[in-house]
Every structure is written in C-alpha cells, then in structure tokens.
Amino acid sequence: MWEPNDLEQQRLDKLNRIRERGIDPYPKRVDRTHTIAEAIAVFEAAEEAAGDETPEAAPVVVCGRITSHRPQGKSSWAHIEDGSGRVQVWMKKDNIGDESQDLFNDEIDLFDFIQVSGTMMRTRRGEITVLANEFAPISKTLSPLPVIKERRLDDGSVERYGGFTDPEERYRQRYADLAVNPDVREVFLARAKTISAIRRFLDEEGFLEVETPILQPIYGGAAARPFVTHHNQLKQDLYLRISFELYLKRLLVGMYDAVYEIGRDFRNEGVSRKHNPEFTQVEWYKAYIDYNEVMNITERMVAYAGEQVTGSPVITFQGHKVDLTPPWKRITLRDAIIENTGIDYTEHTDAASLTAVMKEKGKHPSPDSTWGKLVDSLLGTDVEPGLIQPTFITDYPRDISPLAKMKDDDPAHVERFEFFIAGLEMGNAFSELNDPIDQEQRFIDMGRLYGEDSEESHPVDEDYLRAMRYGMPPSGGFGMGVDRLVMLLTDRPNIREVLLYPHLRNRDE
RNA sequence: GGGGGCGUAGCUCAGUGGUAGAGCAGGAGCCUUUUAAGCUCUUGGCCGGAGGUUCGAUACCUCCCGCCCUCACCA
C-alpha cells in the first residue's frame, strides 16, 4: 500500500483541489491539433512567409509534460515536452483569466501533463512560445521526478544542476530515467535503429526471417549453462535456449537457402559489464558459402549498421576512433597469440604442457582447464583487449568448436572466426559442420572431454543428427551479440546502459 | 564466489564519537516578455538493515541487503 511522502501528499492535496474546481485531472480525451515539433514547424514556416511582418497567429493545441514551471503572478511560464520536442508556454492572466491563472500557479506542478490552446509567437528574448488562451490539466503527477536544470554559460558550455545519475535507481526506475534523461532515450532510439538496420540488411541480402523455439527440450549450440523450467501439463522439463544454432541449421536441411533470427538468448552464467542473463542475438545461416564469405558479409553488415545508426562508419568508443569500413584485419588465432604472448600453442598440444609454458610467461592459467579453454583464455586476456579496430580472429582449436568444419590441412583447427571491435567480443561464426558422422563423433568427444557430470557437458541432440543425415548443404553461419553492437554504436561501456530493463537482484521494498 | 568502493532529505552531494547540513525540488509572500527567473521567509531525514563497542554511534567493529568496479566464471 502506497504511503505518500510529504511531497506526494502536497500533490494529492492539489489533485483534490483540482477536482473541487470541477475539473477532471485525468480526462479521457484531449484536443491536440499539433505535436510540439509540428507547432514549432508551423510557426517557423509562417515567420518565413511573413518576412519582416509579424507572422499570422496560428492557433494550436499542444499537449505535454511540464518540464519547467515558473509561476510569476500574473504572467507565468512553463516548458512542456512531448515525444517530439519541447516548447515554452506563456500563461498571461489577461488571456486565460483569473481562475486559470490561479489553477496554473497554485495547483499545477512540475511534471504534470497539460493541454495548452493558444497561438505561436516569439518572445523578446527570441524563444518560440505558445501564448495560451486556455489550458487544462490532463494528467496529474503524484510522485515528483528528479529535477535536472541546465544553464548555458557565456562560453557556450552547459552547467547542470542535480540530476538523476544513480545507476541502480536509474535501472530500477527506467521510466523515471527516460522521463528526465533525454540522452537515455537517445540510446534506445539507437538500439531500435541498430536492430532495424540489421534486419533491413539481411532482408536485402535475401535472408528469410524465422522464429524458432525459446523453450527447448534439449539445449545446445553454445557452451553455457541453461535456465531450466517446467511444463506442468506435459510434465516435462524445458530449457530456455542458449542459442538458435541447431534449430536454424535444420531449416537449411529444409531447403531454405538463407535464414536469420533476431531474438533473446538466456544463459545462466555470471552477470557483468558485458553479460546479462538474457541478451539479444542475431544468428544467420547461408547455404553454399564458407566462413570466408561469412566474414565478407559480416563486415558489410556491421559497417552498414554503424552508418545507419551514427551516420558514419567511423565511430568513437570510449575515446577510441574505430573504423568499421571493410575490409577488416584477418589474423589466425595462433598468430595473434604468438604476437601478443610469444606462445605458439601448437607446440604445446596438451593442457599440462600449455599450462607449464603459460606459467613460465607469468600467466595464471586456471587449474583443471582443458587445452582448448587455455587457448581461449590466452585470447581473452592477452589478445582481446588490444583489438580496437575491427578484427577477425580465425581458425580455432577443434576441441572448443564442435559445430565447425575442420581445416583441410590441419585437423587440429576448424574454419571458425570470432570478431572483435573496441576490445569487445562481438560474434562468432564458422563453416558449418554438415558431416553427420563427424558431428556425432564431436558430440561424443565433447561428452568425453567434459564428463557426464560437468555442467558444460551437453546432451546429444539426436534429432539434430537425424536432420544432418538428411543432408545439409555446405553453409556458413554467424552469430552476434546485438547488445554489444549497440554498446559500441552508442559509446556505452556497460551492457545495462543499452538494456531497458537490465537484470538486477530483488530488493525488499 | 574472491578483492576493493559506495549506500545521509524527492534528486545531486557535504559532514562529525555528543541523535545532521547545502543546492535543486516543495510550502508562504511580491512580481503581466520570464529563461538555472529573482528576492524574503520556510517545511522536510528510523544518516540501507540487524547486532556490538561506548555514558553516548550516522560516524568505530561484525554480519546482512543492494549497487558500482575488478578478478573468477562465460564458444
């Protein structure tokens, strides 16, 4: 049960006094004729047409939230804001009458929504303003939002007063964050543009957008722990998907040449600056191409998204200039690790000897790691942070890549790449393994590598193997963390800043 | 899970072993082209929670809760 604090009680009192005046503080309908941006545009056009004359007074009815409230006796001022913009309002007693003036000055608060009928004009100071003939409250705000004030200094810089910056409160009350922080609204606008750019790109490339199950009887396609849930009537445990991979590739068996899905994955792992338990992924698969062609499409796709969202393929992330223009650097994982650590992991082909050489070089390999995981950790700690410009790291060890085709000349490696931008791992792709016998063996090997009890051991997906036996064309596949790309394009180093509702622990309230 | 930091008014933050302060927001008043409107006066806090040390804790200690950073984990 809500217990109003002092500020809220004052607003409740005002609400009641508005009702006592016979005014509905939450009317069902408004009479808006223009968005705020439209009203301003109409006035600017009228000014243009009038030349040196005073422009014709165009009547408008605009609605919005009060973002500054400056009662001043007989001549009061406010700014109202809607989704399109913000405009000043002038409440003049001679125009709106005593009662309305009192209503505005005494019972209307900062952040209330009002409707203003009036005419557009420009004040002596040059600000476009709605001179009100009448106004009406259209939604009373009971809890005050945080107030942010700005003053433009003589040198053009902006000084800010107060704000709403505590990350926890901003995430828990994203509505308040969005209401008072326009730059946060910009982030999610950019997010929407990013996703629509990816979709547009893939559509134009001839991919078919599909949807596959989120609730799955067997999870797979990635090495991650799943969330488990249960279907009551079927008396069946189900997993929330950790990737789309195995379902999408079945569709290539079904004779679609190119498919993609944009959606949510769920991984029951640690949360961090780069990880949220649920995150948005785009995966696509295309028949008759290999991972080299996947790289070509990838760099075009990301450059396209960057340009669509930021206006340029050259972006800035945390002070780094990053050029997304293809072609990107391509280097094998082996070479990248040699370059950065001096270790050639192909000379240390088992976990024990690789651990030994890593220790020699002052690294701290975690005990009980498999050989592949050690290689991967060298990538993560010694290579990844330095990959500022877009880079494809290619040709991964076979034993950490059970769904990729082996390289012809080198059975220890597979045709796989990950790509990195601004030190962030963005995505993963390979020439898709379509040999059902080899695939079955890989599943078995993975099982043996990790053991039945390991949390990383994966159930063998027999239905997937059956699909492979029906025949899948040679194909390239691709997966990318969309949130990571949005982080990159909005210059936000924390994934929570690009998720409207990032996962947070429960808090007793 | 380990390490470090933080949690004080609606918001942003000071602060001290003797039960708290500023700015903005809020309230009252003056003001019919203001612009962080201004000026005068003013309300507001279980100082995250629970224990402990102490004559006395918001401050010192322990535990708990939450957030941030970092490491671990993470195809």
Side-chain angles (χ1 to χ4, degrees):
Chain A
M1 183 71 185
W2 178 51
E3 286 171 20
N5 63 28
D6 287 354
L7 296 178
E8 291 168 332
Q9 189 55 53
Q10 284 164 356
R11 283 171 177 251
L12 267 178
D13 294 342
K14 290 177 182 181
L15 175 79
N16 290 328
R17 290 198 295 268
I18 291 170
R19 288 211 164 101
E20 281 163 15
R21 287 168 182 256
I23 296 168
D24 180 359
Y26 300 105
K28 293 176 190 67
R29 274 166 284 281
V30 299
D31 308 305
R32 182 166 87 156
T33 60
H34 295 74
T35 67
I36 286 170
E38 286 166 356
I40 290 170
V42 164
F43 177 72
E44 282 175 336
E47 257 186 343
E48 181 102 353
D52 293 338
E53 309 292 306
T54 306
E56 205 174 306
V60 297
V61 183
V62 291
C63 295
R65 191 196 284 279
I66 296 177
T67 54
S68 83
H69 183 239
R70 310 195 295 279
Q72 233 180 105
K74 300 187 181 74
S75 182
S76 297
W77 302 84
H79 278 89
I80 64 169
E81 182 179 323
D82 68 10
S84 75
R86 172 176 207 260
V87 72
Q88 180 167 261
V89 176
W90 184 11
M91 302 283 182
K92 217 172 149 185
K93 193 168 195 167
D94 292 346
N95 288 44
I96 66 174
D98 294 5
E99 264 189 47
S100 280
Q101 193 74 28
D102 290 347
L103 176 68
F104 181 81
N105 288 353
D106 298 339
E107 318 299 0
I108 299 299
D109 284 303
L110 194 56
F111 304 122
D112 288 357
F113 285 87
I114 60 172
Q115 163 179 301
V116 178
S117 312
T119 50
M120 303 301 292
M121 52 147 325
R122 201 179 272 274
T123 62
R124 226 172 258 166
R125 291 291 203 94
E127 181 163 357
I128 295 176
T129 298
V130 183
L131 176 59
N133 296 323
E134 50 183 318
F135 91 95
I138 58 174
S139 180
K140 184 71 187 163
T141 299
L142 293 181
S143 301
L145 286 160
V147 176
I148 299 171
K149 282 192 158 192
E150 289 183 351
R151 174 169 64 157
R152 209 158 290 135
L153 300 173
D154 292 340
D155 64 3
S157 65
V158 173
E159 194 178 352
R160 300 191 107 203
Y161 295 81
F164 185 48
T165 56
D166 179 58
E168 180 175 1
E169 288 312 315
R170 286 181 46 238
Y171 302 148
R172 288 192 194 275
Q173 303 189 49
R174 185 65 94 180
Y175 34 85
D177 186 28
L178 291 164
V180 302
N181 289 324
D183 53 322
V184 176
R185 293 205 291 266
E186 288 296 321
V187 168
F188 293 101
L189 193 63
R191 185 185 173 101
K193 283 183 183 169
T194 303
I195 292 170
S196 101
I198 292 169
R199 182 170 276 126
R200 194 173 328 120
F201 179 90
L202 292 172
D203 286 344
E204 282 169 11
E205 291 279 320
F207 285 82
L208 178 74
E209 181 170 11
V210 298
E211 294 170 283
T212 62
I214 291 173
L215 293 174
Q216 304 182 346
I218 295 176
Y219 59 94
R225 280 177 282 170
F227 288 95
V228 187
T229 186
H230 184 77
H231 191 291
N232 290 339
Q233 206 212 325
L234 300 179
K235 295 186 171 63
Q236 179 186 16
D237 281 339
L238 292 166
Y239 302 96
L240 273 61
R241 66 180 172 192
I242 58 173
S243 86
F244 320 154
E245 170 139 6
L246 301 181
Y247 280 98
L248 288 176
K249 282 194 292 199
R250 284 167 165 100
L251 298 177
L252 301 182
V253 174
M255 296 303 281
Y256 291 116
D257 280 354
V259 296
Y260 76 99
E261 178 166 7
I262 298 172
R264 213 70 65 87
D265 270 342
F266 306 84
R267 295 188 184 175
N268 207 338
E269 310 272 359
V271 300
S272 79
R273 194 166 67 77
K274 299 177 190 174
H275 302 264
N276 196 63
E278 53 182 299
F279 62 99
T280 298
Q281 178 98 340
V282 55
E283 288 189 23
W284 53 257
Y285 296 83
K286 187 174 163 90
Y288 315 115
I289 66 171
D290 71 357
Y291 78 145
N292 291 301
E293 183 58 30
V294 173
M295 283 186 247
N296 298 338
I297 297 174
T298 298
E299 56 194 14
R300 283 195 292 116
M301 182 180 85
V302 172
Y304 176 79
E307 198 156 2
Q308 291 288 303
V309 174
T310 70
S312 163
V314 182
I315 58 160
T316 303
F317 186 80
Q318 301 299 291
H320 295 292
K321 279 252 173 300
V322 176
D323 188 352
L324 302 175
T325 309
W328 298 350
K329 183 179 179 185
R330 301 182 184 190
I331 180 173
T332 65
L333 177 59
R334 180 187 168 206
D335 288 345
I337 289 177
I338 291 173
E339 248 178 46
N340 286 279
T341 68
I343 298 172
D344 182 352
Y345 64 76
T346 61
E347 290 172 4
H348 309 278
T349 55
D350 60 82
S353 89
L354 188 52
T355 297
V357 71
M358 283 171 73
K359 282 183 174 160
E360 257 171 52
K361 297 273 182 183
K363 316 280 175 213
H364 305 282
S366 50
D368 306 324
S369 276
T370 63
W371 180 81
K373 284 190 170 278
L374 290 171
V375 171
D376 201 45
S377 78
L378 284 171
L379 169 62
T381 58
D382 293 286
V383 180
E384 183 173 328
L387 299 175
I388 303 300
Q389 297 307 316
T391 306
F392 294 109
I393 301 287
T394 65
D395 300 345
Y396 279 63
R398 174 182 182 272
D399 72 335
I400 53 171
S401 312
L403 297 159
K405 272 185 176 151
M406 272 184 274
K407 291 192 70 75
D408 285 338
D409 49 352
D410 178 5
H413 286 86
V414 294
E415 292 195 353
R416 170 182 169 189
F417 71 82
E418 291 183 313
F419 67 108
F420 301 81
I421 307 174
L424 283 171
E425 180 189 338
M426 303 294 299
N428 182 27
F430 25 88
S431 298
E432 301 294 338
L433 180 58
N434 62 345
D435 174 344
I437 306 299
D438 187 2
Q439 184 67 75
E440 183 164 24
Q441 190 58 46
R442 302 274 198 105
F443 281 158
I444 291 166
D445 290 349
M446 288 298 281
R448 188 157 49 224
L449 204 52
Y450 291 113
E452 284 291 309
D453 299 333
S454 165
E455 281 170 323
E456 278 142 292
S457 89
H458 274 52
V460 175
D461 191 334
E462 294 292 349
D463 181 72
Y464 176 74
L465 291 170
R466 174 169 60 190
M468 290 303 108
R469 288 193 293 271
Y470 284 126
M472 184 177 85
S475 306
F478 168 91
M480 177 176 71
V482 173
D483 314 280
R484 299 258 177 99
L485 181 61
V486 178
M487 288 167 66
L488 182 74
L489 299 182
T490 58
D491 195 13
R492 292 298 190 282
N494 193 316
I495 197 169
R496 296 179 190 92
E497 291 292 340
V498 303
L499 296 166
L500 278 169
Y501 302 105
H503 183 76
L504 297 176
R505 262 195 192 83
N506 280 338
R507 189 173 64 176
D508 296 333
E509 299 213 41

